[in-house]
Amino acid sequence: AVQRVYSTGRFDEVSFRVVHRAGGDDLLLDLTEGNRDVVGVGVRYDTPRGAALLVGATVNDWLTPGSRAMLTARLGDELQYDGRFLLGAGPEATFLQTYRATFTRTALPHVRPAGAPGAPMLDVSEVSAQIARVLGHAGYIGAELTYGRSNDGVRGADSLFALRPLSYTTFGGELALDTYNRLFAPTAGGKVLLRGERALDAREFVREYVGAQGVLPAGPSVALLGRVDVGYAAGTDLPLHDRFFLGGSAPST
């Protein structure tokens, strides 16, 4: 538990002490919180998209204690902006509130519909709000409301890839569990994310997603990390981009 708290990066010092009392002992953690604002710049190369510039910034305790503001951008053939504001990020938080705004624009270079002048484009803008109940130190369970607008497809294509502007509202549930022994380069534990979304109003589509990963120790200083992502989406009003893995801070489509 001490190792997981320290590996969050929010504290300069983490120590513990045992306080003796009648009928048992109390284990107390002493925490010295530090300023952990972060700005990062990187480069990612994907075939056949080429190089992309990655920019990220995280600011802690901006508006309220225990809050976290995050902004990420991917600039290249795949364009993505993602901003998030998290309330309740402190170590003793019971509920988490997450507010997100995401813009993604990317082409499908491997798809060339017959008669179309080019590849379909996925053009998506979304805003969402999520409230979640913290499950100890191992995860959370929450509900999310999302409003989105999309302009997916290409002119001159068939019905599947035809250019079709859409607006939609979805309600989703999410369960996340994390038993890694530390956040960076874990050597034991695993992580599971289950997510389901259903369209509201007059739209008819659903989307389900399961992501699981785990660590297998392969020696005193070597560990193997495995990951599996499985998704399902269906419905008469399903947006084109919902047939792919998209979303804020997503590493790929």
Side-chain angles (χ1 to χ4, degrees), residues 3-4 7 178-190 213-217 219-225:
Q3 188 177 37
R4 282 185 60 86
S7 65
D178 183 353
T179 61
Y180 280 142
N181 60 340
R182 57 181 183 236
L183 297 181
F184 179 75
T187 58
Q213 54 182 285
V215 169
L216 178 64
S221 59
V222 178
L224 301 178
L225 175 65

Side-chain angles (χ1 to χ4, degrees), residues 156-179:
D158 58 17
S159 59
L160 176 61
F161 294 102
L163 188 64
R164 184 171 60 141
L166 285 176
S167 62
Y168 52 87
T169 303
T170 64
F171 179 79
E174 189 168 292
L175 172 64
L177 300 174
D178 183 353
T179 61

Side-chain angles (χ1 to χ4, degrees), residues 106-113 116-122 153-155 157 161 240:
T106 184
L108 303 177
H110 295 297
V111 179
R112 294 277 179 170
M121 294 292 297
L122 304 181
V154 60
R155 296 186 184 277
F161 294 102
L240 180 60

Side-chain angles (χ1 to χ4, degrees), residues 42 50 57 63 78-79 117 149 160 165 199 216 224:
L63 293 180
E78 181 177 340
L79 186 65
R149 299 178 66 89
L160 176 61
L216 178 64
L224 301 178

